[in-house]
């Protein structure tokens, strides 16, 4: 079976990486507006450095994004020209509730997204809306220490209800938290919280995860209440994981790594914590902050589909001396896989399309729910030519091979996939290092780190490739 006729071909963006206009339209600061460029960024993302202590001249790239706030009409036209059927985007929570705990929403913020969604409808593009893509209002960080505080569960539900009601009929596909399984790794980025060095780290991050799981479930319940047509997914960071050697110890490490990555989708899909995690908590002496009603909330708020990001695969090795050379990932290095092709020119990581097929099968077998590929892509360093063209064969090679792998999962493995939205379909500020020169496919934005630019948009070679791919429903790669 080929891709279904209503397959959602599109692209993905996130408010904090594209909008800019950070102080316009009544918007309050978001947590990402406090992520600086430069060496201190990682410490803030890890929740180890309070961004309020940064020097006055720090530069915050999320505040400018790629200027989508002012150019969204032109951007939607470009997407329509490529034939997009879907746009995965997010709402900036602090555009709707500038302080996070305001009683009344900010009408100007609501109107902004209403216009975007109305235009999407005119263009035949379905918005797939993430409620929180690394984007909790900064005032909630300051006043409650973000997701370390249970108060945010109710505030998030209020926000989800507000936008669910307002955009009823305009939006029917929702995702709750972006890459929710990153909270234990990047407590500030994903959990909008700062760590207290005097307290156990494990306890702090897993408390926050519990509150986010509850908030996700409450949002699912609210959005189902508002409109029975709403379909709500979770969103997790996925990677194919292999043991470096056939040693059972390596295979076990690889398995436990995957199990960790699955843990949060297990809760969001089945409505309860898996037994192995409960055993791990008990062994560590950690007690999840359960309250009356939490179990029912998790059970009632399970998702309708599973969405995930997939960029590449990685290796696990039990013997620290056994591995060979390393390759760079987004924020960490891992062992190079000798069976994967050489890195693409202009790119720093290895790529593994079959890994995507493996991940699709793993999620399909585990949850028996439809899947949605919410992010996929390879960062590369693109150059704008004098004639306005951008030659990016690396993106075309990466995307075409991943679409082929996805097609095999549909045709040969019977996996149900709702859609495919490659990441950064218009160049955006990078989540990991805040730079603009970490570019993905399709549309180039004229802005160079340290130099600036016009923000004008240019079609990359991959734009024309993707247009053909969509027009042929994934046949012409
Ligand atoms: C994912 C995030 C995205 C995006 C992407 C690429 O983890 O959900 O927001 O940024 O990674 O990473 P980067 O921007 O660092 O290249």
């Amino acid at each position: 079976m080929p891709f279904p006729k209503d397959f959602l071909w599109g692209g993905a963006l996130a408010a904090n990486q594209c909008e800019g206009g950070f102080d316009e339209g009544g918007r309050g600061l978001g947590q990402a507006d406090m992520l600086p460029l430069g060496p201190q960024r990682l410490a803030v993302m890890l929740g180890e450095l309070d961004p309020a202590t940064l020097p006055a001249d720090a530069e915050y790239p999320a505040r400018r994004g790629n200027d989508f706030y002012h150019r969204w009409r032109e951007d939607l036209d470009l997407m329509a020209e490529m034939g997009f059927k879907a746009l995965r985007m997010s709402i900036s929570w602090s555009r709707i509730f500038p302080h996070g705990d305001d009683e009344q929403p900010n009408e100007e913020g609501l109107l902004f997204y209403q216009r975007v969604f109305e235009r999407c409808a005119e263009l035949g593009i379905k918005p797939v809306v993430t409620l929180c893509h690394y984007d909790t209002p900064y005032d909630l960080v300051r006043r409650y220490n973000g997701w370390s505080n249970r108060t945010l569960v109710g505030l998030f539900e209020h926000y989800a209800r507000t936008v669910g009601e307002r955009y009823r009929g305009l939006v029917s596909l929702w995702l709750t938290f972006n890459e929710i399984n990153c909270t234990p790794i990047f407590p500030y980025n994903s959990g909008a919280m700062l760590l207290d060095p005097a307290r156990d780290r494990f306890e702090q991050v897993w408390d926050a995860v519990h509150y986010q799981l509850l908030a996700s479930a409450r949002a699912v319940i609210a959005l189902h209440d508002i409109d029975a047509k709403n379909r709500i997914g979770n969103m997790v960071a996925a990677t194919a994981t292999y043991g470096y050697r056939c040693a059972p110890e390596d295979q076990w490490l690889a398995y436990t790594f995957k199990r960790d990555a699955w843990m949060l989708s297990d809760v969001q899909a089945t409505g309860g914590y898996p037994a192995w995690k409960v055993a791990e908590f008990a062994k560590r002496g950690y007690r999840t902050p359960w309250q009356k009603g939490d179990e029912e909330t998790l059970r009632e708020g399970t998702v309708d589909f599973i969405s995930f990001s997939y960029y590449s695969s990685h290796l696990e090795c039990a013997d620290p001396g056994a591995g060979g050379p390393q390759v760079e990932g987004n924020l960490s290095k891992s062992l190079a896989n000798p069976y994967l092709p050489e890195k693409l020119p202009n790119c720093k990581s290895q790529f593994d399309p079959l890994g995507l097929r493996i991940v699709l099968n793993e999620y399909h077998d585990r949850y028996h729910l439809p899947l949605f590929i919410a992010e996929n892509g390879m960062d590369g360093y693109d150059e704008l030519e004098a004639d306005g063209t951008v030659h990016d064969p690396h993106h075309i090679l990466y995307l075409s091979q991943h679409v082929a792998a996805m097609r095999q999962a549909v045709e040969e493995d019977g996996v149900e996939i709702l859609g495919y939205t490659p990441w950064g379909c218009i160049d955006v500020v990078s989540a990991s290092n805040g730079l603009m020169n970490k570019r993905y496919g399709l549309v180039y934005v004229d802005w160079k780190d340290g130099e600036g630019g016009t923000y004008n948009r240019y079609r990359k070679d991959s734009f024309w490739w993707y247009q053909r791919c969509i027009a042929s429903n994934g046949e012409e790669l």
Side-chain angles (χ1 to χ4, degrees):
M1 243 191 13
F3 288 109
K5 279 209 182 62
D6 56 353
F7 188 78
L8 295 172
W9 296 101
L13 298 172
N16 82 82
Q17 289 166 262
C18 72
E19 279 183 11
F22 78 105
D23 55 356
E24 293 175 55
R27 181 181 180 277
L29 277 183
Q31 68 178 96
D33 295 322
M34 298 303 290
L35 283 174
L37 267 186
Q40 289 167 315
R41 185 177 180 91
L42 181 59
V44 178
M45 288 171 74
L46 290 167
E48 292 167 0
L49 175 68
D50 183 347
T53 64
L54 290 169
D57 61 349
E59 199 185 332
Y60 301 100
R63 299 185 186 191
R64 49 177 154 75
N66 72 11
D67 205 30
F68 178 85
Y69 187 68
H70 303 108
R71 291 170 186 257
W72 59 271
R73 284 186 186 79
E74 177 190 350
D75 287 348
L76 293 182
D77 285 346
L78 284 164
M79 293 171 193
E81 190 183 335
M82 273 184 279
F84 273 28
K85 315 280 181 241
L87 167 62
R88 177 188 174 222
M89 55 177 282
S90 69
I91 294 179
S92 157
W93 183 354
S94 60
R95 224 177 253 300
I96 308 300
F97 291 101
H99 307 287
D101 56 1
D102 322 63
E103 274 183 24
Q104 294 305 320
N106 168 34
E107 178 56 28
E108 235 184 301
L110 285 169
L111 252 185
F112 170 68
Y113 295 106
Q114 184 181 320
R115 290 189 181 121
V116 172
F117 299 147
E118 282 170 353
R119 181 69 183 139
C120 281
E122 284 165 13
L123 295 169
I125 297 174
K126 268 190 198 275
V128 181
V129 175
T130 315
L131 289 169
C132 187
H133 191 124
Y134 297 157
D135 209 354
T136 297
Y138 183 59
D139 273 357
L140 297 183
V141 180
R142 286 204 304 202
R143 281 196 259 139
Y144 301 90
N145 198 21
W147 287 96
S148 73
N149 193 314
R150 186 181 270 268
T151 311
L152 265 73
V153 177
L155 297 176
F156 187 77
E157 182 186 357
H158 181 46
Y159 158 59
R161 274 193 187 279
T162 305
V163 294
E165 271 156 17
R166 177 65 173 243
Y167 305 128
R168 189 167 190 268
L170 282 173
V171 179
S172 59
L173 290 166
W174 302 87
L175 307 178
T176 55
F177 288 91
N178 182 63
E179 295 186 336
I180 187 170
N181 54 336
C182 288
T183 297
I185 311 163
F186 297 109
Y188 181 84
N189 224 36
S190 188
M193 63 189 278
L194 297 166
L195 295 174
D196 176 350
R199 283 185 55 212
D200 180 38
R201 184 187 192 281
F202 189 89
E203 179 183 308
Q204 294 179 69
V205 298
W206 284 99
D207 280 3
V209 166
H210 185 65
Y211 299 143
Q212 287 189 322
L213 287 169
L214 288 171
S216 169
R218 297 250 293 254
V220 170
I221 296 166
L223 291 167
H224 279 155
D225 274 1
I226 290 166
D227 188 348
K229 289 203 196 84
N230 277 334
R231 295 179 87 189
I232 306 108
N234 66 343
M235 198 304 203
V236 288
T239 166
T241 308
Y242 315 122
Y244 184 66
R245 307 163 305 174
C246 50
E249 290 77 9
D250 286 14
Q251 302 308 314
W252 175 247
L253 266 189
Y255 178 73
T256 53
F257 182 92
K258 286 195 285 195
R259 200 173 62 169
D260 252 327
W262 291 329
M263 188 259 153
L264 297 194
S265 33
D266 284 357
V267 182
Q268 293 178 304
T270 69
Y273 281 63
W276 69 268
K277 197 71 192 176
V278 175
E280 184 192 318
F281 286 165
K283 196 165 164 207
R284 283 182 168 259
Y286 166 68
R287 291 165 72 97
T288 306
W290 290 105
Q291 278 187 9
K292 198 164 169 288
D294 286 2
E295 285 186 46
E296 291 73 11
T297 301
L298 293 183
R299 264 204 309 273
E300 285 164 29
T302 55
V303 292
D304 303 313
F305 64 95
I306 302 284
S307 90
F308 62 85
S309 58
Y310 174 87
Y311 289 89
S312 190
S313 55
H314 93 283
L315 301 175
E316 287 288 324
C317 183
D319 176 356
Q326 303 226 320
V327 278
E328 281 186 63
N330 247 355
L331 284 162
S332 58
K333 290 189 173 182
S334 76
L335 289 170
N337 187 332
Y339 299 100
L340 291 180
E342 285 299 297
K343 289 182 293 178
L344 295 173
N346 285 358
C347 301
K348 67 174 190 193
S349 336
Q350 290 184 299
F351 73 110
D352 181 4
L354 183 54
L356 174 61
R357 184 174 175 186
I358 293 171
V359 165
L360 284 163
N361 276 276
E362 285 173 340
Y363 279 103
H364 174 73
D365 292 346
R366 198 170 178 89
Y367 301 119
H368 307 289
L369 285 172
L371 305 178
F372 185 91
I373 302 173
E375 290 180 25
N376 175 235
M378 170 67 77
D379 57 331
Y381 298 91
D382 303 336
E383 253 335 292
L384 178 63
E385 306 288 335
D387 63 358
T389 56
V390 178
H391 306 303
D392 60 340
H394 42 286
H395 292 138
I396 296 178
L397 185 69
Y398 179 97
L399 293 171
S400 60
Q401 294 203 6
H402 284 75
V403 172
M406 175 171 77
R407 195 167 75 193
Q408 283 179 309
V410 172
E411 286 181 354
E412 295 173 35
D413 309 327
V415 176
E416 187 186 354
I417 308 175
L418 300 174
Y420 175 70
T421 51
W423 175 251
C425 53
I426 294 184
D427 294 342
V428 291
V429 165
S430 152
S432 52
N433 64 17
L435 297 175
M436 275 294 288
N437 71 0
K438 203 168 180 305
R439 299 173 192 267
Y440 293 76
L442 313 185
V443 177
Y444 183 93
V445 174
D446 174 34
W447 178 277
K448 283 201 169 150
D449 303 300
E451 289 176 33
T454 60
Y455 287 119
N456 287 342
R457 276 53 172 154
Y458 296 87
R459 295 162 184 81
K460 300 183 192 182
D461 288 353
S462 54
F463 179 101
W464 304 111
W465 167 82
Y466 199 41
Q467 189 185 56
R468 286 193 301 277
C469 167
I470 297 177
S472 64
N473 203 20
E475 291 297 317
E476 214 181 296
L477 300 178

